[in-house]
Amino acid sequence: MHHAIQFVMYVFIFTAKSRVSSSFTTTTTTTTSLLPLWRFQNSIIKQYHTTTILGLNRFLFDPSELNIKDEGSADKPTIILRKEDYRTIHAAKILGLQNGDTLRAGIVQDSNVRNSIIQQQPPNNVNGEEDSHLLSGCITDEATIEWLPEGKNKKPQPTKNGDPPGSLQITLHSLKPITEELSDIQPRISLLLALPRPLVLGRLLPMIAQVGVQDLILTQAEKVPKDYFGSHLLRKPMEIRNGLIEGLCQAADVQIPSVRIVKQLKP
């Protein structure tokens, strides 16, 4: 029976035309020889590509990390990440980026930041570090990288085992507000959640940000122990923020959800 099913699959692959489409390209592939199923699937996957606004793995930065020249300078905003930074390690080990390669990047925006200038037009001119917050909520698909070798490493490229050679400098080109792309398709989602165990909450935060939740409300319920509200996670807002940012990196968004604690819900 197993051999019969496999034979039918081979015949189907031999005679079928497979159409693969994305929002930008449509590719039609006709097989001309009897190929194993896994090789046929790989040939399709290699031809499928897309660069939509929902692409994964966007490098996110806090506005305080930006290095901005004085107003009127032609230099673009840059970020220098330390060798030990998790984003530097990801760029070297996972992505294998070389000097001049591009990546998706964005600058996170806290939920309480609403700047009309950002939402209406790209912030082309900012005046030094004190105005770096004006760039929050902006994204680019054209950020370029440059390795800055340190110590014994002289070559500006990842080592043979994938370790970063030193610090990583990222230059942000063509920044634009994310609201230009998402305002028409992103619904506003609020999540009312009975406070789970602190360990579970830590695991949920990235997923909550990934699905597009903009307002998270943590509340009491009949079976929620009161000591959960005194957990270490709720006493350290930066840990909650970092968990949400982790999810945003995969969702290609930059808007950090707001988090509120309401112990007693009233009508």
Side-chain angles (χ1 to χ4, degrees), residues 122-157:
N124 296 320
N125 295 314
V126 291
N127 185 16
E129 295 183 1
E130 65 273 12
D131 286 341
S132 61
H133 68 277
L134 294 177
L135 294 175
S136 63
C138 291
I139 60 171
T140 177
D141 289 348
E142 302 175 11
T144 57
I145 71 110
E146 179 181 358
W147 291 107
L148 307 176
E150 299 175 357
K152 297 181 180 180
N153 293 320
K154 302 300 180 181
K155 295 182 179 180
Q157 61 185 25

Side-chain angles (χ1 to χ4, degrees), residues 3-22:
H3 293 291
I5 295 175
Q6 188 174 18
F7 176 77
V8 172
M9 293 178 66
Y10 278 121
V11 172
F12 175 77
I13 293 171
F14 181 75
T15 58
K17 290 185 178 181
S18 299
R19 179 172 296 272
V20 180
S21 62
S22 69

Side-chain angles (χ1 to χ4, degrees), residues 193-197 219-229:
L193 180 66
L195 184 62
R197 291 187 299 119
T219 186
Q220 176 69 276
E222 183 178 357
K223 295 184 178 181
V224 174
K226 293 182 179 181
D227 57 353
Y228 281 7
F229 289 92

Side-chain angles (χ1 to χ4, degrees), residues 163-184:
D163 293 332
S167 300
L168 178 63
Q169 177 174 290
I170 301 176
T171 304
L172 304 178
H173 301 276
S174 304
L175 283 170
K176 58 182 178 181
I178 194 173
T179 52
E180 291 184 0
E181 298 185 353
L182 293 182
S183 58
D184 295 333

